[in-house]
Amino acid sequence: MTDTSAIAPGLKKDVLLKIRDLKIEGFTGETWVPIIKGVDLTLHRGEVMGLIGESGAGKSTIGAAAMGYARDGTRISDGSIEFDGIELTTSTEGEKRALRGARIAYVAQSAAASFNPSHKLIDQYTEAPLQYRIQKRLEAQEDAIELYERLRLPNPGEIGFRYPHQVSGGQLQRAMTAMAMSCRPDLIIFDEPTTALDVTTQIEVLAAIRDIVDQFNTAAIYITHDLAVVAQMADTIKVLLKGEEVEEASTEVMLKSPKEDYTKSLWAVRSFERPQKPRPENATPLISVQNVDASYTGGDKVLDDVSFDIYEGMTVAVVGESGSGKSTTARCITGLLPPSSGQILFKGEPLPPKYTDRSKDQLRQSQMIYQMADTALNPKVRISEIIGRPAQFYSGLKGTALKSRVDELLDLIELEPSKYYDRFPPELSGGQKQRIGIARALAAEPTFIICDEVTSALDQLVAEGILRLLDRLQKELNLAYMFITHDLATVRAIADEVVVMQHGKVVEQGPKTEMFKPPHHPYTDLLLSSVPEMDPNWLTTLLEERGVDNVGEAADV
Amino acid sequence: MSIFVITYFGLLIGVSCLAAYYEKRSAFLMLFSLTLVSFVLGIVGGTGALRSVAIGAGMLAFAAGVSFAFREFLVAITPPKLAKEIKTAPLTASFGMFVIFTYAIAGIFAPWIAPYGESEVISSAFAPADANMLLGADQLGRDMFSRIIYGARNTVGLALLATMAAFFMGATAGLLAAVKGGWFDQFMGRFADVIMSIPSLIFALLMLSIFGPDITVIIIAVAIIYAPRVFRLTRAVAGNVVVMDYIEAAKLRGEKDGYLIRKEILPNSTAPLVAEFGLEFCFVFLLVAGLSFLGLGIQPPTADWGSMVRENATLISFGEITPLIPAAAIALLTVAVNFVVDWMLFRSSGLKEQ
């Protein structure tokens, strides 16, 4: 156990939250298995603690436990949780309810899923103050508008009277932070508040959260798996692994000199980088997108004059924030969304705009790997069938030939064939599922693969493994990748060429080395400078450079 | 004070003390409140009332015991994976499975189980039960018990066939509508609306009076009545599956609709469909019984529970319970199927036990 007051001597603060030897168990259907195996945590007033670790490390479970809450199917089996002198493990549900919302607040990962879609934002804001009779409705509304202003939401007087779906993701996340602040709680738990947001939007939310926590001297637990983010937010960092604490130290100490090997490995993740390949000379591009316009039925143009080329064996990264048309471009290439004008050439030959008109061989050539491996693999179909079907469908393999092909593919993605052959997707981890998705694409023996945010749902260590695998496969099989991502670290790691998109247009394109060197297009510059860095002062410096008021504006799309 | 009353109260108090000692809170509360209620009941209704309470409790315990044993039996004979599922079944569900199992045996082996033939007249009309006839005779002197056994075969078999036909039509249309979308979806949807807007019993009566009360006509009419409901459910369930990425991947691979439906969509929608099958089976079963009661269902002399109720209805005014026996058979099966369906719905909805 580390006493944080020793790290910041002279600053004698009150202890707000004290967790001692916390043990939480989860029910697996037959027995109770430990999820949290004895974690201690001390949080002082006004202090921000970052909890980091891979998924399954128990970050969110500890966050929920700090409210005295155990999710369905879990129970707090041992230990004590003391919030401002109140023991939460033994207090009644009524006592805990009185604390939640009023003194402990929670900001969830997906604001879009956590707001009730059929109530206005401000009505949801005033719910807690009214419930606890802290303010009258009108007072609470004025207070909300003031907070919206402090969080730099555009049009603060009016935005609260909208419904959640009428507000963008970043604004919703800020509105949720405001809601958590409504009763001026002593402790806020932020459960990955920016993970689902774009880099440009992430900054405004981070800045807003940091300001508001400072202004009201609120203590916070900040849960994330992004180290660079936690470096900006937290005073102290606690690293968790499989329900156990690895180490805890103040942010500066932790970033400069982590003690444990596991922490060091987390820090070193961003090291993978592949040498850039030049374009082959005098070759026809494998895929050539030419002046493509596209729109969904009855809507506005989503793509506007998009053109770029992808050469054999090369990786083209398409970057941009959500809504910029990256995935729509992919849908045009695959033929799911026929472009309204322009065409797509494959080795110089135009492809039929609709996938239903393409021949088997044309379909085989371009494959896709999806972002969410959970929805990309049929949960009721065995791995052997998932991987085997494309091989059977395109190459007509049967019996033992098919089986050996599946084994070969499983070997290729570094999964033991005998172990995984008969399994179902829900029995695999996130990284393994993504590997199966890759194997399914490879089974068709394609020349071109579209990777749609393949690593964004994965932990850094796992994502790194996937990137290395993709790189190896590219070398062995001479594949071309179109890599859709909003994570510039990924781009840096794997891309040869970069295409930057905004509002359905290609803003800038070129080889990677040029793209990361100034001068940039202003939008590329914004994207690049918005990627959090490990330096704890990065956000402060950036905000000073951009000017506080511009942060929100720049990202409002 | 009779020995029965002393044993009755002694047993109740003893068991509730045991429950309290072993800290079975809910069991104790139930038993002890039963004891308190029994005091009042004993004073007001005398020994007779207590005796009926004891019989009721005994029957409940017997049913629970049978269900428990049947569940263990199923766990023992099924393969490990299925056995694990069955282990989670509540007693009500295993009771339901036991009843369905019994009915199935009775229906399949009817000619061997039934002591007399289906339309064999063996005694005088409305003869009381004796050593030969377990449940007495009906209005023509046929053995009631044999007819009930044969009825299981006819009524349940007919309802099963009709439900399967309804499912085949509804599910095929629903899956196709979900996969194809567009005008086909719209057309099928409106067509289903039209059928649903016709009152079901009137539609069945109309069909039967036009084409005559033939078994095929009954099956087709009932299937048409229930197909739109299945269509709606299937389309909704499949609609949620169709938007998944793995369907998109399969479409991009160039798979045909048949493969999509069979291999990708059906495995992901069987749970709600099976549950719906059980539920619809009850409705169909009741409708078929109702049609028979009205005289338009299965025609005599074929044994059928619905018409058996009608034929023996006059006995009710003499305080006889004979006409209620086929009715009870209908009720028991309906309840049993619902018990099983409840459990399946619970599982497929992904609700966790607290």
Side-chain angles (χ1 to χ4, degrees):
Chain A
M1 189 196 84
T2 324
D3 192 1
T4 38
S5 62
I7 295 161
L11 279 168
K12 182 98 178 82
K13 292 183 193 165
D14 296 342
V15 173
L16 180 68
L17 179 72
K18 203 161 99 182
I19 295 179
R20 286 292 168 272
D21 197 30
L22 177 69
K23 287 186 180 131
I24 296 178
E25 292 178 342
F27 196 63
T28 55
E30 278 178 0
T31 50
W32 291 91
V33 292
I35 302 175
I36 305 293
K37 303 153 190 163
V39 168
D40 295 338
L41 187 150
T42 311
L43 188 68
H44 302 84
R45 277 185 193 280
E47 185 186 19
V48 179
M49 173 176 285
L51 287 184
I52 63 169
E54 304 167 37
S55 44
K59 304 174 304 242
S60 300
T61 314
I62 292 179
M67 299 186 285
Y69 180 71
R71 290 168 193 223
D72 278 352
T74 66
R75 63 174 184 200
I76 298 172
S77 55
D78 198 11
S80 82
I81 303 162
E82 204 179 312
F83 175 77
D84 203 17
I86 307 164
E87 177 58 50
L88 294 182
T89 46
T90 52
S91 52
T92 62
E93 200 55 35
E95 286 164 350
K96 283 188 277 191
R97 276 186 76 106
L99 285 178
R100 292 176 195 153
R103 299 197 58 200
I104 308 175
Y106 180 78
V107 176
Q109 173 170 4
S110 167
S114 306
F115 271 108
N116 187 330
S118 44
H119 292 289
K120 288 174 184 163
L121 292 180
I122 206 153
D123 292 340
Q124 303 190 41
Y125 177 96
T126 55
E127 207 183 332
L130 287 178
Q131 165 82 26
Y132 296 110
R133 312 197 174 192
I134 295 169
Q135 286 163 317
K136 295 266 185 295
R137 181 176 293 273
L138 283 179
E139 281 171 20
Q141 288 192 351
E142 277 167 31
D143 185 56
I145 291 168
E146 195 199 318
L147 269 180
Y148 289 155
E149 204 171 338
R150 285 207 205 188
L151 286 161
R152 290 193 293 276
L153 279 162
N155 214 345
E158 179 266 333
I159 196 166
F161 297 93
R162 296 197 212 164
Y163 288 95
H165 65 269
Q166 297 171 317
V167 176
S168 79
Q171 290 167 356
L172 215 51
Q173 201 72 52
R174 279 183 282 170
M176 188 161 206
T177 311
M179 196 164 104
M181 272 290 171
S182 63
C183 295
R184 304 293 182 272
D186 300 310
L187 171 66
I188 301 188
I189 293 145
F190 293 98
D191 193 350
E192 311 232 13
T194 60
T195 308
L197 303 176
D198 294 318
V199 275
T200 48
T201 326
Q202 173 170 304
I203 289 201
E204 46 175 313
V205 176
L206 289 182
I209 290 178
R210 205 168 65 164
D211 283 0
I212 209 110
V213 167
D214 276 355
Q215 280 169 19
F216 296 108
N217 195 31
T218 314
I221 293 179
Y222 197 97
I223 298 165
T224 181
H225 64 259
D226 190 337
L227 295 162
V229 167
V230 88
Q232 311 309 316
M233 305 301 295
D235 303 318
T236 49
I237 294 179
K238 188 191 275 292
V239 183
L240 295 169
L241 174 65
K242 289 175 186 156
E244 278 173 290
E245 180 181 326
V246 178
E247 63 178 315
E248 179 185 323
S250 76
T251 306
E252 307 249 326
V253 175
M254 191 67 123
L255 288 179
K256 275 191 201 122
S257 48
K259 280 189 223 115
E260 302 293 325
D261 286 341
Y262 176 71
T263 321
K264 282 179 194 157
S265 76
L266 276 179
W267 264 232
V269 169
R270 303 183 158 224
S271 59
F272 174 67
E273 197 173 331
R274 192 188 68 128
Q276 185 183 331
K277 262 194 277 181
R279 283 190 179 189
E281 282 175 27
N282 301 327
T284 33
L286 190 70
I287 291 278
S288 176
V289 181
Q290 294 185 336
N291 310 96
V292 163
D293 287 4
S295 58
Y296 291 99
T297 28
D300 293 334
K301 252 192 205 176
V302 189
L303 295 184
D304 187 0
D305 197 22
V306 172
S307 309
F308 58 87
D309 294 337
I310 299 170
Y311 288 87
E312 212 177 35
M314 287 182 69
T315 305
V316 174
V318 180
V319 293
E321 51 196 54
S322 37
S324 60
K326 301 172 307 224
S327 296
T328 311
T329 314
R331 289 174 73 84
C332 283
I333 295 176
T334 52
L336 281 169
L337 181 73
S340 47
S341 72
Q343 58 177 352
I344 287 142
L345 303 183
F346 178 78
K347 289 184 179 161
E349 301 272 319
L351 278 175
K354 273 191 82 169
Y355 74 92
T356 39
D357 300 331
R358 294 185 185 174
S359 71
K360 241 185 189 184
D361 194 52
Q362 281 168 330
L363 288 170
R364 182 176 71 81
Q365 296 293 344
S366 63
Q367 291 293 316
M368 196 150 169
I369 306 171
Y370 295 84
Q371 172 177 12
M372 306 296 294
D374 289 321
T375 59
L377 304 178
N378 193 337
K380 296 282 167 69
V381 178
R382 284 178 203 284
I383 301 299
S384 54
E385 169 84 15
I386 291 178
I387 302 177
R389 177 64 189 173
Q392 183 194 2
F393 186 76
Y394 292 122
S395 318
L397 295 178
K398 269 189 203 127
T400 45
L402 182 65
K403 188 175 184 315
S404 63
R405 173 71 180 143
V406 172
D407 286 354
E408 192 187 314
L409 285 163
L410 281 170
D411 271 335
L412 212 54
I413 55 163
E414 294 154 13
L415 292 180
E416 177 65 36
S418 56
K419 229 169 117 190
Y420 294 95
Y421 194 80
D422 272 334
R423 289 216 200 167
F424 289 97
E427 296 164 16
L428 305 182
S429 74
Q432 288 169 339
K433 277 186 225 168
Q434 199 56 281
R435 280 168 194 264
I436 299 297
I438 294 171
R440 179 175 63 185
L442 291 177
E445 299 173 46
T447 48
F448 170 63
I449 297 182
I450 297 172
C451 307
D452 191 354
E453 305 261 16
V454 283
T455 55
S456 60
L458 301 173
D459 294 318
Q460 288 175 27
L461 282 172
V462 183
E464 167 109 346
I466 297 285
L467 289 183
R468 283 183 197 274
L469 172 69
L470 285 171
D471 180 48
R472 207 197 78 217
L473 293 171
Q474 183 168 45
K475 277 188 202 127
E476 285 173 15
L477 306 166
N478 197 28
L479 297 165
Y481 293 139
M482 173 177 159
F483 220 93
I484 298 170
T485 183
H486 63 254
D487 178 17
L488 289 155
T490 314
V491 176
R492 221 167 248 155
I494 200 165
D496 298 312
E497 289 183 16
V498 183
V499 175
V500 182
M501 290 188 72
Q502 187 192 18
H503 304 322
K505 287 185 192 145
V506 173
V507 180
E508 205 179 1
Q509 55 178 312
K512 175 173 69 175
T513 42
E514 277 175 36
M515 296 297 289
F516 281 104
K517 245 184 257 157
H520 306 295
H521 180 278
Y523 180 70
T524 316
D525 195 49
L526 178 72
L527 271 185
L528 284 178
S529 65
S530 301
V531 179
E533 284 164 26
M534 295 296 252
D535 175 11
N537 298 318
W538 168 80
L539 187 61
T540 322
T541 330
L542 183 82
L543 293 180
E544 275 167 14
E545 275 172 17
R546 286 195 191 170
V548 173
D549 293 330
N550 290 333
V551 181
E553 303 302 314
D556 285 335
V557 181
Chain B
M1 248 249 268
S2 67
I3 294 181
F4 167 73
V5 177
I6 295 168
T7 340
Y8 179 89
F9 281 109
L11 205 66
L12 264 185
I13 290 168
V15 177
S16 35
C17 284
L18 276 178
Y21 183 76
Y22 287 106
E23 290 181 358
K24 302 273 185 237
R25 203 182 126 80
S26 55
F28 167 71
L29 279 180
M30 207 178 73
L31 284 168
F32 198 69
S33 42
L34 182 66
T35 319
L36 295 180
V37 168
S38 299
F39 280 134
V40 180
L41 209 64
I43 293 163
V44 177
T47 320
L50 290 184
R51 212 176 279 276
S52 50
V53 169
I55 290 169
M59 274 166 70
L60 211 62
F62 180 71
V66 167
S67 325
F68 182 76
F70 189 67
R71 184 171 69 188
E72 292 306 309
F73 170 70
L74 282 181
V75 168
I77 60 161
T78 46
K81 218 169 177 182
L82 192 64
K84 210 173 149 192
E85 296 280 347
I86 292 173
K87 243 182 213 169
T88 66
L91 280 185
T92 48
S94 59
F95 177 71
M97 285 190 274
F98 175 70
V99 171
I100 294 169
F101 178 75
T102 318
Y103 275 48
I105 294 289
I108 294 166
F109 300 107
W112 292 277
I113 294 173
Y116 300 101
E118 195 175 356
S119 46
E120 202 178 332
V121 178
I122 52 160
S123 75
S124 60
F126 297 133
D130 58 27
N132 279 330
M133 295 182 293
L134 211 54
L135 297 171
D138 69 356
Q139 88 282 11
L140 294 179
R142 295 172 293 192
D143 179 31
M144 199 72 180
F145 179 70
S146 306
R147 282 180 68 76
I148 290 220
I149 300 284
Y150 275 104
R153 174 181 254 203
N154 301 326
T155 318
V156 178
L158 182 69
L160 203 63
L161 276 178
T163 320
M164 287 201 296
F167 252 75
F168 182 73
M169 291 198 283
T172 317
L175 288 166
L176 277 175
V179 171
K180 286 200 182 295
W183 67 267
F184 182 79
D185 186 16
Q186 287 296 325
F187 174 76
M188 293 310 291
R190 297 300 79 75
F191 187 64
D193 288 348
V194 169
I195 298 179
M196 282 183 101
S197 66
I198 309 170
S200 53
L201 199 57
I202 298 197
F203 181 76
L205 291 179
L206 203 68
M207 294 281 281
L208 288 168
S209 35
I210 295 171
F211 298 106
D214 186 49
I215 289 202
T216 26
V217 179
I218 298 175
I219 291 176
I220 292 170
V222 172
I224 291 175
I225 290 168
Y226 282 96
R229 299 181 185 216
V230 183
F231 165 79
R232 283 196 170 192
L233 178 86
T234 320
R235 188 184 159 276
V237 172
N240 285 337
V241 180
V242 160
V243 294
M244 295 304 224
D245 286 340
Y246 52 83
I247 302 291
E248 189 183 299
K251 277 186 183 169
L252 283 179
R253 202 187 302 146
E255 303 282 8
K256 300 275 178 294
D257 288 345
Y259 176 88
L260 284 181
I261 288 175
R262 237 171 350 105
K263 292 279 183 162
E264 306 276 356
I265 300 175
L266 260 186
N268 287 293
S269 32
T270 36
L273 285 184
V274 167
E276 178 71 9
F277 186 88
L279 220 55
E280 290 294 336
F281 173 74
C282 290
F283 289 126
V284 168
F285 184 69
L286 293 176
L287 182 68
V288 170
L291 285 174
S292 304
F293 181 79
L294 292 173
L296 281 165
I298 301 165
Q299 293 303 303
T302 316
D304 168 71
W305 293 344
S307 41
M308 281 166 75
V309 176
R310 188 178 60 121
E311 286 159 2
N312 295 294
T314 41
L315 268 189
I316 275 283
S317 38
F318 299 106
E320 265 285 341
I321 58 150
T322 320
L324 293 183
I325 294 166
I330 297 172
L332 188 63
L333 182 61
T334 318
V335 169
V337 170
N338 268 306
F339 274 155
V340 179
V341 167
D342 270 351
W343 171 53
M344 284 181 178
L345 277 177
F346 180 80
R347 276 187 342 125
S348 71
S349 66
L351 292 171
K352 268 175 267 163
E353 241 158 314
Q354 288 296 319

